[in-house]
């Protein structure tokens, strides 16, 4: 996997059990967006809110995803959307030190 430049957290304020979501066609649509490196689906404990944690190769691609998929979906389902963007570059060294799966391990020679 490529090293991400941006992490995106998104959550729809809704109450839908994850088991009721037909996620396979949603995954197909998500994969059409340039720069999406990965997504981890999230389902809120005791709230059934639905969201995800994403890794993108650039801020521009993350913003295109927000504008092209997340916002239109929120309007379609009448849900409230929360989105936060995080700088993956500034936290790289600290994340490697704690064995983040998003960054390659630093060798002893480095």
């Amino acid at each position: 996997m490529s090293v991400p430049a941006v992490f995106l957290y998104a959550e729809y304020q809704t109450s839908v059990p994850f088991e009721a979501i037909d996620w396979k066609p949603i995954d197909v649509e998500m994969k059409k967006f340039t720069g999406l490196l990965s997504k981890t689906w999230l389902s809120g404990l005791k709230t059934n809110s639905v969201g995800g944690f994403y890794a993108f190769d650039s801020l521009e691609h993350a913003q295109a995803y927000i504008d092209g998929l997340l916002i239109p979906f929120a309007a379609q389902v009448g849900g409230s959307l929360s989105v936060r963007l995080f700088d993956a570059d500034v936290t790289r060294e600290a994340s490697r030190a704690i064995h983040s799966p998003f960054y390659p391990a630093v060798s002893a020679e480095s």
Side-chain angles (χ1 to χ4, degrees), residues 1 6 15 21 24 35-36 38 44 48 62-63 69 74 98 101-102 107:
M1 179 172 89
V6 174
S15 185
I21 296 172
K24 289 180 183 178
L36 175 62
S38 69
N48 288 326
Q63 189 63 57
L69 193 134
I98 198 70
F102 291 98
S107 68

Side-chain angles (χ1 to χ4, degrees), residues 1 4 13 18 25 30 40-41 45 59 61 63 66 80 82 95:
M1 179 172 89
Q13 304 301 316
F18 191 78
M30 284 189 292
T40 300
W41 281 92
L45 293 171
L59 177 58
H61 288 148
Q63 189 63 57
I66 293 166
S80 176
S82 296
S95 296

